[in-house]
């Protein structure tokens, strides 16, 4: 058969189209309303009623606005919920801008160090090109946030509030990446010209000084000490003077970050279950925490999440939120849009095939705060988002269990909930994790 598309083939397709029973109705609906509206399944709104048998009250959702800091907002949400309860501080927030400042500063140094390490490779090398494509960005992973807090601590939002460049980050990212690319090329030249390590590091420090200035002007200078002053929900006044960000985290948050590990569900042939993985070039703090993932079966992940929810602890998780979702209504369901019925075409792909082909990858982090269990099985999950109170149910979303199966890739679990065999698997693999390539889907950053 010919490899080219002939006119006879097109005529055959048109004849098939005109004889197809759904053509007239489906084309009118799709052309008038768009594919998603035309294929929307209204039964989803009934099935995803926001009622849950296990539910943790967490208060008013935060709002990341026009920035890609969902991973940061979600992680800090898991930390502020116990603080709110313990100290009677309704709607209290930790400073997302503080961790944002240090994340961008550390990512800049991380980029410089990787550029130095790959200076012997051609600019056209895929890994070098990968580094220069996006020197830094808003997105990140749980372990990266932990690395920042372990080094710099955390502060209340009232002490280091949001700025215009934090809430709408495109101009800052563009400015910083221009600077980093320029400096990165200079560092490569210094290395290739035979400059000593001390000379290269000295020039890098001068470059980091420029980065610090850009961040300080755009986001503000982070505090080294501050007074934590507040009135609790019972109208009692409190003040804690001259406290450092690390002291604040230890005293008011008190979470043992080492106890919380990243688990993933990646059912691809190259990732055996119960093995620990890391991703090349993925990180932010040099000398800090390494990004590590323990690969679990999806039902194992669900069981651990449910155990954690039952204990009263919410769960940070990563997913592909743009797939089969309705932002305004706050619904996440694989049956939300029936494009198969609209077009009479089979779109079915396995989770492994979606990951291997680039059809799906993690793009957003949120917090699981509840689950509805019927006959011992989860049917839907309550989700705290970081898009403010307008979307969904006052900022909360409802996720079907089938959507979980298809599009949830990561969950942070307290190690105390892991059975002994999984604890052993993590402990044995964490020191020398299997390295994945920089562009592996498990290296995707949460940013939506």
């Amino acid at each position: 058969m010919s490899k080219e598309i002939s006119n006879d083939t097109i005529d055959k397709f048109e004849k098939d189209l005109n004889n197809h029973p759904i053509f007239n109705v489906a084309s009118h609906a799709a052309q008038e309303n768009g594919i998603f509206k035309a294929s929307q399944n209204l039964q989803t709104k009934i099935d995803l009623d926001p009622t849950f048998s296990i539910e943790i009250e967490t208060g008013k959702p935060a709002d990341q606005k026009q920035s890609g800091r969902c991973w940061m907002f979600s992680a800090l949400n898991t930390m502020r919920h116990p603080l709110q309860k313990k100290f009677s501080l309704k709607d209290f927030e930790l400073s997302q801008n503080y961790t944002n400042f240090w994340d961008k500063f550390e990512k800049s140094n991380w980029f410089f160090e990787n550029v130095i390490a790959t200076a012997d490779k051609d600019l056209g090398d895929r890994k070098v090109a990968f580094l220069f494509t996006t020197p830094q960005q808003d997105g990140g992973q749980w372990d990266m946030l932990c690395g920042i807090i372990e080094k710099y601590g955390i502060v209340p939002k009232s002490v280091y509030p949001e700025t215009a460049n934090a809430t709408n980050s495109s101009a800052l990212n563009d400015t910083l990446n221009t600077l980093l690319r320029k400096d990165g090329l200079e560092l490569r030249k210094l290395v290739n010209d035979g400059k000593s390590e001390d000379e290269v590091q000295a020039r890098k420090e001068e470059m980091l000084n420029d980065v610090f200035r850009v961040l300080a002007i755009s986001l503000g200078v982070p505090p080294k000490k501050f007074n934590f002053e507040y009135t609790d929900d019972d109208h009692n006044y409190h003040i804690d003077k001259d406290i450092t960000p690390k002291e604040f985290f230890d005293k008011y948050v008190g979470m043992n970050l080492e106890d919380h590990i990243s688990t993933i569900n990646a059912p691809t042939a190259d990732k055996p279950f119960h093995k620990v993985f890391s991703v090349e070039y993925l990180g932010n703090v040099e000398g800090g925490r390494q990004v590590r993932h323990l690969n679990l079966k999806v039902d194992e992940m669900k069981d651990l999440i449910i155990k954690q929810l039952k204990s009263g602890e919410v769960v940070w998780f990563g997913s592909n939120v743009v797939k089969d979702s309705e932002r305004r209504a706050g619904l996440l369901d694989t049956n939300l849009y029936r494009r198969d019925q609209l077009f009479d075409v089979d779109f079915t792909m396995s989770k492994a095939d979606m990951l291997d082909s680039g059809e799906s990858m993690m793009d957003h982090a949120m917090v699981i705060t509840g689950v509805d269990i019927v006959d011992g099985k989860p049917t839907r999950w309550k989700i705290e988002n970081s898009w403010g109170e307008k979307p969904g149910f006052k900022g909360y979303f409802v996720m079907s269990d089938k959507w979980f199966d298809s599009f949830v890739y990561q969950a942070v679990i307290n190690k105390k909930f892991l059975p002994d065999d999984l604890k052993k698997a993590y402990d044995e693999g964490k020191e020398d994790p299997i390295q994945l390539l920089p562009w592996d889907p498990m290296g995707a950053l949460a940013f939506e």
Side-chain angles (χ1 to χ4, degrees):
M1 294 181 68
S2 173
K3 294 181 180 180
E4 298 178 4
I5 299 174
S6 68
N7 288 331
D8 288 343
T9 299
I10 293 173
D11 290 341
K12 182 175 69 175
F13 290 166
E14 285 186 358
K15 183 177 180 180
D16 176 74
L17 179 66
N18 290 322
N19 291 333
H20 205 289
I22 70 167
F23 174 61
N24 287 328
V25 173
S27 63
H28 292 158
Q31 293 169 29
E32 182 68 23
N33 301 292
I35 291 172
F36 288 121
K37 269 195 173 183
S39 63
Q40 190 163 6
N41 176 19
L42 298 180
Q43 182 64 34
T44 292
K45 293 185 177 181
I46 299 171
D47 295 339
L48 296 187
D49 177 73
T51 304
F52 308 92
S53 54
I54 299 171
E55 188 172 4
I56 301 171
E57 292 298 328
T58 51
K60 180 181 176 182
D63 190 352
Q64 68 189 73
K65 298 187 178 178
Q66 283 74 50
S67 72
R69 297 173 292 159
C70 60
W71 61 290
M72 194 174 285
F73 271 71
S74 300
L76 294 180
N77 283 342
T78 68
M79 298 173 191
R80 75 179 171 113
H81 295 150
L83 188 157
Q84 287 175 308
K85 185 176 181 180
K86 182 177 180 180
F87 296 97
S88 299
L89 288 171
K90 183 181 180 182
D91 298 332
F92 173 85
E93 287 188 52
L94 296 164
S95 174
Q96 303 93 354
N97 193 28
Y98 179 84
T99 48
N100 183 43
F101 181 102
W102 291 119
D103 176 61
K104 289 189 176 300
F105 186 62
E106 288 286 347
K107 278 176 179 170
S108 299
N109 185 56
W110 182 271
F111 169 73
F112 287 150
E113 285 299 316
N114 283 318
V115 164
I116 292 169
T118 58
D120 61 328
K121 299 180 185 297
D122 189 83
L123 276 170
D125 179 89
R126 188 175 180 185
K127 291 183 179 180
V128 175
F130 176 85
L131 291 171
F132 275 88
T133 297
T134 312
Q136 67 77 48
Q137 72 301 96
D138 288 351
Q141 289 265 358
W142 169 268
D143 283 324
M144 294 164 66
L145 192 278
C146 291
I148 292 295
I149 293 177
E150 287 166 347
K151 185 171 182 177
Y152 296 103
I154 192 65
V155 303
K157 190 172 185 176
S158 58
V159 170
Y160 193 73
E162 297 281 88
T163 72
N165 295 298
T167 59
N168 191 336
S169 60
S170 58
L172 174 58
N173 284 328
D174 181 72
T175 300
L176 199 54
N177 284 335
T178 297
L179 179 61
L180 294 178
R181 291 188 185 102
K182 178 186 79 71
D183 289 345
L185 291 174
E186 183 182 340
L187 286 173
R188 282 176 55 87
K189 187 174 187 304
L190 290 174
V191 173
N192 290 320
D193 284 348
K195 300 296 182 182
S196 70
E197 183 178 347
D198 286 344
E199 288 175 306
V200 173
Q201 287 295 324
R203 181 67 185 111
K204 187 197 78 170
E205 186 171 311
E206 294 174 349
M207 294 171 175
L208 285 173
N209 184 50
D210 291 343
V211 170
F212 191 91
R213 186 184 312 117
V214 169
L215 291 172
I217 291 171
S218 304
L219 303 175
V221 179
K224 294 181 178 178
K225 283 190 173 183
F226 61 94
N227 295 336
F228 181 37
E229 193 172 10
Y230 67 95
T231 301
D232 64 28
D233 296 338
D234 297 320
H235 308 292
N236 298 311
Y237 172 79
H238 305 265
I239 186 169
D240 198 344
K241 296 182 179 179
D242 292 328
I243 189 171
T244 69
K246 292 187 74 172
E247 289 170 343
F248 177 83
F249 177 80
D250 292 339
K251 182 174 181 178
Y252 291 95
V253 178
M255 178 184 286
N256 187 344
L257 298 177
E258 283 294 330
D259 286 344
H260 293 76
I261 68 168
S262 168
T263 67
I264 57 172
N265 173 238
T268 51
D270 63 330
K271 299 181 184 70
F273 290 120
H274 303 168
K275 296 294 183 180
V276 180
F277 298 87
S278 189
V279 183
E280 194 174 6
Y281 300 145
L282 179 60
N284 52 359
V285 179
E286 281 288 336
R289 176 184 288 223
Q290 184 181 26
V291 173
R292 291 175 293 214
H293 305 308
L294 175 63
N295 196 18
L296 301 179
K297 298 174 183 178
V298 71
D299 286 338
E300 291 175 325
M301 180 184 281
K302 290 179 187 178
D303 288 344
L304 292 171
I305 290 172
I306 291 170
K307 285 181 181 178
Q308 191 157 310
L309 291 173
K310 285 181 175 179
S311 78
E313 186 176 347
V314 299
V315 179
W316 184 102
F317 80 106
S319 64
N320 191 183
V321 77
V322 301
K323 292 291 186 180
D324 292 335
S325 65
E326 216 295 316
R327 177 170 180 153
R328 184 178 57 82
L331 303 176
L332 304 167
D333 187 17
T334 52
N335 287 322
L336 185 60
Y337 304 111
R338 301 308 307 268
R339 290 183 292 178
D340 53 344
Q341 294 180 0
L342 179 67
F343 296 108
D344 193 23
V345 172
D346 183 11
F347 293 95
T348 305
M349 295 178 72
S350 69
K351 192 171 191 176
D353 285 346
M354 286 192 287
L355 287 171
D356 284 337
S357 66
E359 169 65 16
S360 180
M361 65 176 62
M362 187 172 75
D363 62 9
H364 190 51
M366 299 178 283
V367 180
I368 299 175
T369 66
V371 61
D372 193 48
I373 298 178
V374 178
D375 297 328
K377 297 290 184 181
T379 61
R380 55 181 176 260
W381 304 77
K382 183 180 180 182
I383 308 302
E384 179 185 16
N385 209 338
S386 55
W387 292 344
E389 292 187 276
K390 288 185 178 180
F393 305 88
K394 294 186 176 179
Y396 288 83
F397 281 40
V398 182
M399 172 176 70
S400 74
D401 193 59
K402 288 184 178 180
W403 197 92
F404 187 120
D405 290 339
S406 295
F407 298 118
V408 171
Y409 297 115
Q410 185 178 8
V412 171
I413 301 296
N414 192 319
K415 283 196 295 187
K416 68 183 181 181
F417 298 113
L418 269 64
D420 290 341
D421 62 328
L422 293 184
K423 284 181 184 176
K424 182 180 179 182
Y426 181 76
D427 290 338
E428 289 179 349
K430 68 179 182 180
E431 297 305 324
D432 188 23
I434 299 168
Q435 289 292 313
L436 301 173
L437 290 168
W439 41 85
D440 188 275
M442 289 303 104
L445 300 178
F447 59 86
E448 281 286 338

